[in-house]
Amino acid sequence: MGSEHLPGRSCRKPLGIQIIEYWKGSRVSFKTHQAIVLIVTFLAYASYHATRKTSSVVKSALDPKLPDLGMNFLQLRLTNVSEANVPRRFSGVLGGGWAPFNGTDGTSLLGELDVAFLSVYTLGMYFSGHFGDRCNLRIFLTVGMLGTGVFTSLFGAGYWGDIHNFYYFLVVQMIAGLFQSTGWPSVVAVVGNWFGKGKRGLIMGVWNAHTSVGNIAGSLVASAMLNYGWGWSFVLPGVVIALFGFVVFLTLPVTPESVGADREEDEYSFPKKNGVGGIEEPLLRPYNPPVEDKAVGFIEAWKIPGVAPFALCLFFSKLVAYTFLYWLPFYVSHTEIDGRYLSSESAGTLSTIFDVGGVVGGILAGHISDGLDARAITAASFMYCAIPALYLYRIYGYASLVVNAALMFVTGLFVNGPYALITTAVSADLGTHKSLNGNSRAVATVTAIIDGTGSIGAAIGPFLTGYISAKSWNAVFSMLMAAALIAGLLLTRLVVAEVTAKIEESRSNMAQQPSHLV
């Protein structure tokens, strides 16, 4: 699994770990390594999402032309923009904005940027998982973060460079998507190396809050920077992710072997009895220096039981989640709430409520799936509950800010819950499936397959929204509800299997009880 420790070589600890040990005067414990892994990977992927979120907030500044913004947007222009900045920030026609996105086809062009970014991201995801299981994940992740920072900043540089060529922004977004694809397979693989299955759903549910935390940070930073020019909304997150990239390089231990950590300190690293008397293989097996696991092939990974259904489910789940990720601030700023329209800054801030709900949803889904030992039942239930949540948000979200925020929170909870569960605990579980016979070098590949397939849906949703929303937001929400339904239905076979297993386990336990207790 992208190990830094190869047979016959001494382990080379990251410089940051060596400094910590020198300062302490003793070796870093296994638990401390685990804490470092959780914190560093959390910050790393939160910064990925912060850079990804900025474009959704800036959309309303690039394309503020819709007539229903009325005097609210005019007031925003007059109060928040100095005369010196007007020619650059609001160049063009149709009520300001930034050419070429302020024309009649501006919304469609913004949708094309999203689909270009996510298409390259999706393609890169498959390759990233393949390389991630075969190389040094610390270096791989560092390069991805630095590249993401550079090209995110280059998009914002179009503001100061007075660039209005659509293809400049398109190419920059595509290259940024390629670098972004390095993140997810890498961080999941590293966390999977350090944590066994015992409480993985809950641990990864909490850890996966990085997605929503990153979205919230990206929204708040981008919204605040709009007052100084939309370019800063990209440059500042770009600089931050580059800095965190250096933190990853200096401190991230990829595997216990790479830093000589003692596995025996980890309570989850030993085999444990399952309910029917078998032995469940732990994620981390005793290391045997002369033998190195062979990385699992792409086709072989697809054949692992459960990978295909969960990958297809995530396709539709991410279609819903990423439509909100890229279009929610735009939708809020272009929708009348309690008789008025919010500014781009206010809409971006309000949209963070969706991600707060996502944090709760991810933790709740992980905790429930651990308690039930039923990933499919949990994920499908959340997707079905997302359908009425989406409907209520569209129908009653206009009533007031409080109602809008409450319904947005609930929608985020049910939409992001299964998305978080599948991309973390489920991916790590399947990457260490019993059919692999203990081979630990499949997590990044399986994660890439599942999240890569999901990212195709993530590309399609925002792309279709760019066109459909120009005619009807009701049609957009109908699309999202249909996608949530299909996502739940795709897990039906796995849900039936889990229910059947629960029934058989209950019968077995009943049969084993003394007759006088039955």
Side-chain angles (χ1 to χ4, degrees), residues 147-475:
T148 297
V150 169
F151 283 92
T152 299
S153 299
L154 284 176
F155 192 101
Y159 172 79
W160 294 282
D162 203 22
I163 298 174
H164 300 279
N165 188 319
F166 172 73
Y167 293 101
Y168 168 83
F169 297 106
L170 182 69
V171 171
V172 168
Q173 279 290 77
M174 292 173 69
I175 299 177
L178 182 63
F179 279 107
Q180 284 255 359
S181 68
T182 61
W184 191 239
S186 300
V187 296
V188 172
V190 172
V191 172
N193 284 338
W194 285 92
F195 293 89
K197 296 182 179 180
K199 296 181 180 179
R200 183 182 287 163
L202 178 59
I203 290 173
M204 286 194 160
V206 175
W207 173 75
N208 193 64
H210 53 48
T211 298
S212 296
V213 169
N215 290 341
I216 293 170
S219 296
L220 295 177
V221 170
S223 298
M225 291 298 102
L226 281 178
N227 289 328
Y228 305 98
W230 62 261
W232 287 110
S233 297
F234 288 93
V235 171
L236 188 55
V239 171
V240 170
I241 191 173
L243 292 175
F244 280 133
F246 286 110
V247 173
V248 167
F249 178 76
L250 292 173
T251 62
L252 184 64
V254 174
T255 65
E257 293 80 20
S258 69
V259 291
D262 185 0
R263 299 174 179 279
E264 294 185 359
E265 295 181 36
D266 181 22
E267 62 179 305
Y268 301 123
S269 64
F270 292 100
K272 298 180 180 181
K273 295 288 183 178
N274 61 23
V276 293
I279 295 181
E280 179 181 78
E281 284 289 330
L283 181 61
L284 301 174
R285 297 177 293 107
Y287 183 66
N288 186 2
V291 180
E292 189 179 42
D293 288 334
K294 181 180 179 181
V296 174
F298 183 79
I299 302 300
E300 183 181 354
W302 265 106
K303 294 179 181 179
I304 297 174
V307 168
F310 275 113
L312 294 174
C313 173
L314 191 63
F315 174 96
F316 291 98
S317 176
K318 288 191 75 168
L319 186 153
V320 179
Y322 269 65
T323 297
F324 274 88
L325 174 68
Y326 280 99
W327 286 99
L328 182 57
F330 186 90
Y331 169 75
V332 171
S333 67
H334 289 70
T335 302
E336 187 177 10
I337 300 176
D338 197 17
R340 63 191 183 92
Y341 293 92
L342 299 180
S343 66
S344 299
E345 292 89 338
S346 298
T349 302
L350 179 63
S351 69
T352 60
I353 300 297
F354 179 85
D355 295 298
V356 174
V359 172
V360 177
I363 296 173
L364 188 62
H367 179 67
I368 292 174
S369 68
D370 275 346
L372 296 178
D373 191 22
R375 310 290 197 209
I377 291 175
T378 305
S381 299
F382 270 68
M383 290 312 307
Y384 290 138
C385 289
I387 299 173
L390 288 164
Y391 176 80
L392 292 174
Y393 180 67
R394 173 56 182 164
I395 298 302
Y396 298 105
Y398 73 92
S400 69
L401 282 175
V402 173
V403 173
N404 188 287
L407 293 176
M408 187 187 295
F409 175 89
V410 174
T411 303
L413 186 151
F414 287 119
V415 168
N416 282 350
Y419 162 40
L421 179 65
I422 294 172
T423 54
T424 53
V426 169
S427 295
D429 286 351
L430 295 176
T432 54
H433 193 270
K434 61 183 180 181
S435 64
L436 295 172
N437 297 318
N439 188 345
S440 65
R441 298 193 66 189
V443 179
T445 300
V446 170
T447 299
I449 287 175
I450 292 177
D451 200 53
T453 303
S455 295
I456 299 175
I460 292 175
F463 174 70
L464 293 178
T465 300
Y467 287 94
I468 298 174
S469 63
K471 299 180 179 179
S472 170
W473 278 105
N474 286 333

Side-chain angles (χ1 to χ4, degrees), residues 65-115:
K65 66 178 181 298
L66 293 191
D68 59 6
L69 283 175
M71 293 301 295
N72 183 73
F73 185 74
L74 179 60
Q75 182 180 8
L76 171 68
R77 291 180 59 189
L78 295 177
T79 57
N80 290 342
V81 184
S82 65
E83 292 183 4
N85 286 336
V86 170
R88 298 176 69 101
R89 183 177 176 189
F90 295 100
S91 62
V93 293
L94 293 176
W98 189 269
F101 305 107
N102 59 349
T104 55
D105 60 344
T107 304
S108 299
L109 290 178
L110 290 170
E112 289 175 14
L113 286 184
D114 292 341
V115 75

